[in-house]
Amino acid sequence: MSSETEAAQFSNGTDAVQVISPNDDHRVTPGDDERRHLNDAVRSLPSHAVKDLLSAGVCIRCIFRLFGISDHAYFRSSLSPSVMCNILGEGDSSSSESMESELKPEVCRICLGILQFIYRDEKEMLVKRKNGDELAASIAELTRQEGHQIDGFSLEVSIPPIIFENEQAVRLYMKKKYGSELWFQERLSECISTKDALKFAIVNPLEIILDVKSGPSYVRIRLTYTETKPSIIPSKSVDRNGGSKRRKTGTNNGLDTVHVELVGNGTGCCDLSLGQGSPASGRSSTGLAEHESSECSNFPLERVNEPCHLVFLCYRTPIYFGGRYLKFSRNVSQTRWIIDDERMGEASIEEIIGGNILPMCQGDSYKFHAAGREDIDVRMLGSGRPFLVEVQNAREVPSEALVKEIETRMNNLGNKLVGVKNLSLVTSHSWDLMREGEAEKQKQYSALVWISRPLEDEDLQCIASHKDLQILQRTPVRVLHRRSPLERGKIIHWMKIEQITGSSQYFLLHLCTQAGTYIKEFVHGDLGRTHPSIGSILRCRAEILQLDVTDVKMDCFLAE
């Protein structure tokens, strides 16, 4: 990340540290109007309560949000206790100096440094940004390094649940101490959540630096804050006070934590103010439950020696390519097939198609999905089988022309193992369409069959006379090692025999069946596990020599 190093002092009760600050190209320096508004906002606050909170180790931005001050500038400006001292001091420089000396900057006991822009990075280095502009510049630089093609972004923020507990303890303390004062009911009912305050600080500068708008987007910027030393949370509090939040358990490099919030609503953040419950929750107009006043014994909060860890992540939600594939070889599996470190077949459809699409998108990985599958020795002909390729975290979204170029390239491969039709970028809704159609689809086949006696004219008529034939199939012997032993009812919609010139015991069987029918077993009977079968209908032994899928009757990914 391109940055300059400036020496700065940050006292958290232990050692001073050196701080890394990003380039100032996009920094918004507070002007005279901003300072005037800031002074006016601070002077509108009850000074005795503000001094009380400062003395208790609450940072200035948390004080602002507790009192409902929501202007972006207050959260983006470089704020220090001296700001409050200069405004709230009695105009006496000695009293200001005395007040500031008592209020050495430390990690906020409510937000754990989040709104002070202090954090531990992935290398365990202590980092302090002066304001939201500097933090936004760091995030933007990471996004650029990832190389994403961006036309917008949405912001995801995850914070430790202890922050909510800390805020509630402070609000309950203030209610007990100042609840009878006129300003209390009005100001503390307007509390702004930590996430919203962080949004005020970084969304607008991110929009300026990245030159795109925030809002619902496929590109997500995620900030995951986790406690350095996780606290023990009273089990009743989080569920009671944050019942509307989504909860996840377990962590993975700090990415799967509690209270993941997708920030969306066109401004980059959802409006989820902490401490404001429904009337049914028993809360007063200040968002505090009347019976919770006893919990103010949690105040004053313990000193915080370490800020949160912060992990940045920029990623794109999956993009999808849909189409239909054809398989011309009887030695190609649908997906990569390895048994005892030995590859089965000479290639796989998954690797041929996905391996050509992934580099085009500069993605991390891909997943291959298809509407059913055929055995490795079965060809897929006709209009092909519908498939989707899901690309994870694509840096580039290819143009329509480039997609067609990739389709042509795959169809011109020298080995002629696989062909692709109608390849295109599709939405995630296509996944649902493919899955819905898969259960109801019909499939047509062509099978080369041998029977133990010569074929007669009556056999042709007998086979063709069966319409919507219902059969019962127990799980075939050949797949019992990986499938449950069930009995399935299937339908053979129609059949017909095509004779082969010069042969009396070989013929082509064309048939249309319900999805999921085991065709090989329908021909030879599978030791009586499929009934009726071609063998039982013709009253002779029947064996299948070759099988092709000639049509998968589904509407998705057909040519327009």
Side-chain angles (χ1 to χ4, degrees):
M1 183 179 296
S2 60
S3 60
E4 61 182 4
T5 304
E6 71 176 45
Q9 297 297 317
F10 165 64
S11 171
N12 66 352
T14 53
D15 301 325
V17 298
Q18 192 175 41
V19 195
I20 307 299
S21 296
N23 291 333
D24 293 341
D25 297 346
H26 301 281
R27 186 179 302 168
V28 180
T29 303
D32 292 339
D33 287 343
E34 183 177 312
R35 282 192 289 269
R36 185 172 63 254
H37 290 316
L38 179 60
N39 290 351
D40 292 343
V42 173
R43 288 196 173 99
S44 71
L45 302 178
S47 60
H48 58 303
V50 170
K51 292 175 183 178
D52 192 2
L53 291 173
L54 285 171
S55 300
V58 179
C59 74
I60 297 174
R61 292 184 182 86
C62 276
I63 293 174
F64 283 167
R65 67 182 186 83
L66 284 170
F67 285 102
I69 297 178
S70 59
D71 192 289
H72 295 55
Y74 308 147
F75 295 98
R76 289 167 52 192
S77 299
S78 299
L79 300 178
S80 66
S82 61
V83 173
M84 289 293 197
C85 292
N86 292 334
I87 299 174
L88 296 177
E90 302 302 328
D92 183 344
S93 60
S94 63
S95 65
S96 240
E97 291 173 2
S98 173
M99 182 177 177
E100 184 166 10
S101 67
E102 296 174 3
L103 301 174
K104 293 180 180 179
E106 60 180 24
V107 178
C108 175
R109 300 187 187 188
I110 295 183
C111 72
L112 310 185
I114 291 176
L115 296 182
Q116 296 168 298
F117 313 115
I118 308 166
Y119 58 90
R120 290 278 182 187
D121 63 15
E122 292 179 284
K123 297 180 180 179
E124 297 299 324
M125 298 296 293
L126 183 63
V127 180
K128 183 180 188 306
R129 306 300 182 190
K130 287 184 178 179
N131 50 37
D133 296 324
E134 288 193 355
L135 180 60
S138 301
I139 297 168
E141 183 62 28
L142 172 71
T143 303
R144 287 174 175 148
Q145 289 177 1
E146 284 291 305
H148 284 283
Q149 174 187 336
I150 295 179
D151 54 10
F153 71 91
S154 61
L155 186 65
E156 294 178 344
V157 178
S158 175
I159 65 175
I162 188 62
I163 291 175
F164 179 82
E165 298 296 317
N166 292 342
E167 178 183 303
Q168 289 298 86
V170 171
R171 285 160 59 81
L172 289 166
Y173 162 76
M174 293 184 69
K175 179 181 178 182
K176 182 177 181 181
K177 187 170 183 178
Y178 302 111
S180 62
E181 299 186 19
L182 294 177
W183 58 265
F184 181 83
Q185 293 293 332
E186 177 183 354
R187 298 309 295 260
L188 256 71
S189 65
E190 301 171 353
C191 177
I192 299 167
S193 73
T194 302
K195 294 178 182 181
D196 281 353
L198 189 62
K199 173 204 66 171
F200 293 146
I202 65 176
V203 167
N204 183 253
L206 270 175
E207 290 179 330
I208 295 172
I209 298 171
L210 297 175
D211 195 26
V212 294
K213 291 295 184 181
S214 64
S217 174
Y218 295 112
V219 176
R220 310 285 172 83
I221 295 174
R222 184 173 183 180
L223 309 182
T224 302
Y225 290 92
T226 53
E227 285 184 85
T228 304
K229 296 179 180 178
S231 303
I232 298 176
I233 312 278
S235 60
K236 63 177 181 177
S237 301
V238 173
D239 287 335
R240 183 185 64 236
N241 298 329
S244 62
K245 304 281 188 174
R246 290 174 289 172
R247 299 195 60 182
K248 295 185 178 182
T249 57
T251 59
N252 181 12
N253 297 325
L255 296 184
D256 293 323
T257 52
V258 183
H259 296 337
V260 176
E261 175 178 326
L262 174 59
V263 188
N265 77 0
T267 62
C269 192
C270 294
D271 294 327
L272 282 176
S273 298
L274 293 174
Q276 296 186 11
S278 64
S281 67
R283 299 195 171 277
S284 66
S285 60
T286 63
L288 304 176
E290 297 295 342
H291 65 275
E292 291 177 337
S293 59
S294 60
E295 293 186 18
C296 66
S297 58
N298 295 333
F299 192 87
L301 301 172
E302 293 183 4
R303 184 184 185 90
V304 180
N305 293 321
E306 286 290 335
C308 290
H309 279 87
L310 173 59
V311 175
F312 297 122
L313 179 64
C314 180
Y315 68 100
R316 181 185 293 276
T317 55
I319 62 174
Y320 297 87
F321 295 83
R324 289 185 170 237
Y325 75 78
L326 298 98
K327 188 179 75 164
F328 306 119
S329 169
R330 299 192 188 277
N331 194 30
V332 171
S333 58
Q334 186 184 83
T335 56
R336 191 167 178 262
W337 189 10
I338 305 293
I339 298 179
D340 295 332
D341 297 326
E342 182 179 351
R343 172 184 284 276
M344 300 291 106
E346 55 186 308
S348 73
I349 298 165
E350 172 187 45
E351 292 169 298
I352 292 173
I353 298 178
N356 277 278
I357 289 177
L358 185 64
M360 171 178 65
C361 304
Q362 300 180 39
D364 290 346
S365 60
Y366 68 87
K367 295 179 181 179
F368 184 84
H369 313 279
R373 64 172 61 232
E374 64 284 324
D375 292 337
I376 190 172
D377 60 346
V378 176
R379 296 186 301 177
M380 180 67 239
L381 306 176
S383 60
R385 185 184 296 276
F387 72 88
L388 281 175
V389 174
E390 176 184 346
V391 179
Q392 309 291 329
N393 197 22
R395 273 70 173 182
E396 297 285 337
V397 179
S399 64
E400 183 178 339
L402 184 55
V403 173
K404 290 303 178 185
E405 180 182 324
I406 293 298
E407 178 180 327
T408 301
R409 184 186 307 171
M410 286 188 284
N411 288 331
N412 290 337
L413 292 175
N415 51 27
K416 297 293 184 182
L417 299 177
V418 173
V420 177
K421 290 183 175 182
N422 311 325
L423 184 67
S424 63
L425 262 172
V426 297
T427 66
S428 58
H429 182 56
S430 297
W431 170 266
D432 297 326
L433 291 176
M434 192 173 77
R435 284 291 174 241
E436 288 171 5
E438 184 179 5
E440 302 298 328
K441 70 178 182 289
Q442 296 180 10
K443 297 167 68 176
Q444 291 183 197
Y445 299 88
S446 177
L448 177 60
V449 178
W450 170 88
I451 57 174
S452 58
R453 61 169 177 79
L455 189 67
E456 300 175 355
D457 292 340
E458 291 80 3
D459 296 330
L460 278 67
Q461 296 175 4
C462 176
I463 292 295
S465 66
H466 288 85
K467 304 292 184 182
D468 294 326
L469 173 66
Q470 293 189 358
I471 65 172
L472 287 178
Q473 292 194 306
R474 294 167 63 190
T475 302
V477 172
R478 63 186 171 95
V479 297
L480 267 176
H481 64 285
R482 55 188 172 90
R483 300 231 172 136
S484 301
L486 302 175
E487 186 173 79
R488 302 169 180 86
K490 297 296 178 180
I491 299 175
I492 309 299
H493 296 290
W494 55 260
M495 299 182 289
K496 66 178 181 179
I497 289 177
E498 179 184 348
Q499 292 179 288
I500 297 176
T501 303
S503 175
S504 61
Q505 291 180 263
Y506 293 87
F507 61 87
L508 290 175
L509 174 67
H510 301 282
L511 66 165
C512 176
T513 74
Q514 181 182 351
T517 304
Y518 292 104
I519 303 302
K520 293 176 180 178
E521 283 67 26
F522 173 63
V523 172
H524 59 63
D526 195 27
L527 303 175
R529 298 173 67 85
T530 292
H531 185 82
S533 64
I534 293 296
S536 66
I537 292 172
L538 296 181
R539 298 183 180 181
C540 63
R541 181 184 167 195
E543 297 291 344
I544 185 167
L545 306 179
Q546 288 183 346
L547 179 64
D548 295 327
V549 184
T550 56
D551 194 13
V552 177
K553 293 185 176 296
M554 292 178 64
D555 294 334
C556 55
F557 314 139
L558 290 170
E560 296 181 358

